[in-house]
Amino acid sequence: MAATLPLFHLYGDPPDDQAFDFIHVETIASRSSIHDWTIRAHRHRNLFQILLIERGGGEMTYEAAKLPFAAPAAILVPAAIAHGFHFEPNVTEGWVMTFTEDAALSLADRAGEALSRLRALAAHPIIPIADGGELARLSALCAELFEEASLAREGYRMSMRGLLALIAVGVARLAASRARTGSVTLRPADTTVAQLRALVDEFFRGEHQLGFYAGKLGMTVDRLNDHVKRATGVTAGHLIRQRVLTEAKRQLVFTTQPIQEIAQELAFSDPSHFARFFRKHTGTTPHQFRDHGGG
């Protein structure tokens, strides 16, 4: 394991926090085959990814979970999520589209709506594709996106944005169809909840108190809690605690960083306080969680 969880632009490349209007498409084999078909756990700070699995399958690391997948399927990886893949060697075929969200959001309300719905799937990233016609359509769009990127003809960037939007809308429709079966529930994004999540992502390493976030949003603690509870079914405090726990789990599973240092980085006054917090909300100690690889 690494000392810290790697942060990349594209896998293996240094982070690029200034990336804007960025769209990249490649085959799964082009990068994974040179890494023995294994993409180790890492994060992208500002990039969303859609994978289309046309043949084969494998196992996905998604935060501390291991999720098997098989073709045909789409896989969603929102920005900042710890993820990795082990693909079936020499069998798996498909596409990886990586983009800054502004690339599709700038197109039209429909594309923005699709991306909002895709972000809502963060806890359920694998979407099976039962319709062979829809798989063929998405595959053709991916191939056309790849051709536009490769040939770089006049107007190719506008064309790439349009194709990406069509792919995002298509995958969002598949997700909505699955939602109607009851396996996933998609709700429209709530502005206040989105703002809270963004603030928590920015400040959670130093601030765990709800009052801090309520003040940033110009709301009372009670009003913020009530609003978040109505929109999500959980309290605002729960969202903060889960973000802290997610980061703690990442560091415990994917790095060799000492637990004392993890506690310090997450603003706990001492390791014992961190251990009590972790055990209260997971039912296990940080040491046990690390020893079992998150299982």
Side-chain angles (χ1 to χ4, degrees):
M1 288 191 296
T4 59
L5 182 64
L7 183 69
F8 294 130
H9 182 54
L10 296 177
Y11 185 74
D13 296 339
D16 181 4
D17 292 343
Q18 303 306 312
F20 177 77
D21 194 23
F22 174 82
I23 303 173
H24 182 269
V25 56
E26 64 185 20
T27 64
I28 288 173
S30 64
R31 193 173 300 258
S32 63
S33 62
I34 61 177
H35 295 284
D36 295 324
W37 296 88
T38 297
I39 302 298
R40 299 190 181 280
H42 64 285
R43 290 179 296 144
H44 308 286
R45 182 153 31 224
N46 56 348
L47 298 175
F48 197 110
Q49 289 186 310
I50 300 175
L51 284 75
L52 183 67
I53 312 299
E54 298 172 323
R55 291 186 58 212
E59 183 179 71
M60 177 187 190
T61 299
Y62 195 82
E63 295 296 358
K66 301 288 188 182
L67 306 175
F69 60 88
I75 299 178
L76 306 174
V77 185
I81 291 291
H83 64 285
F85 297 94
H86 178 68
F87 299 104
E88 291 181 28
N90 305 310
V91 173
T92 304
E93 294 180 2
W95 301 93
V96 183
M97 286 139 289
T98 306
F99 53 94
T100 49
E101 292 190 358
D102 59 84
L105 288 173
S106 63
L107 274 166
D109 289 344
R110 191 63 186 167
E113 179 185 341
L115 284 175
S116 177
R117 291 169 75 84
L118 294 182
R119 284 195 299 270
L121 281 166
H124 305 273
I126 299 170
I127 305 172
I129 302 175
D131 185 337
E134 187 60 24
L135 174 64
R137 178 178 175 275
L138 288 172
S139 296
L141 288 171
C142 291
E144 190 173 352
L145 180 64
F146 183 79
E147 179 179 290
E148 288 289 347
S150 301
L151 298 180
R153 298 168 295 197
E154 182 178 353
Y156 78 99
R157 294 206 60 80
M158 183 177 296
S159 178
M160 288 179 68
R161 292 189 201 103
L163 289 165
L164 176 63
L166 287 172
I167 293 166
V169 169
V171 174
R173 285 172 176 166
L174 290 171
S177 176
R178 186 171 71 161
R180 286 192 290 271
T181 71
S183 57
V184 176
T185 300
L186 295 179
R187 299 178 179 177
D190 180 275
T191 303
T192 299
V193 174
Q195 290 175 333
L196 174 61
R197 290 187 187 278
L199 285 170
V200 172
D201 279 341
E202 183 177 358
F203 295 108
F204 75 92
R205 285 183 174 84
E207 289 288 347
H208 300 174
Q209 297 302 311
L210 183 54
F212 170 84
Y213 297 99
K216 286 281 187 181
L217 293 169
M219 303 172 72
T220 66
V221 168
D222 288 344
R223 183 181 168 208
L224 178 59
N225 245 336
D226 288 345
H227 183 98
V228 173
K229 185 69 177 290
R230 285 196 302 270
T232 68
V234 298
T235 65
H238 176 84
L239 295 183
I240 298 169
R241 289 190 295 272
Q242 288 304 305
R243 184 64 186 87
V244 175
L245 283 168
T246 294
E247 192 64 27
K249 290 176 179 179
R250 287 176 179 172
Q251 301 304 322
L252 290 168
V253 172
F254 299 125
T255 79
T256 57
Q257 189 175 18
I259 291 174
Q260 181 175 351
E261 291 183 9
I262 296 173
Q264 185 176 6
E265 285 189 6
L266 294 177
F268 288 91
S269 56
D270 59 70
S272 62
H273 181 199
F274 170 63
R276 288 194 297 272
F277 169 84
F278 193 88
R279 183 164 192 167
K280 177 180 178 181
H281 296 289
T282 68
T284 188
T285 68
H287 286 284
Q288 291 169 335
F289 191 83
R290 169 170 277 176
D291 290 344
H292 289 86

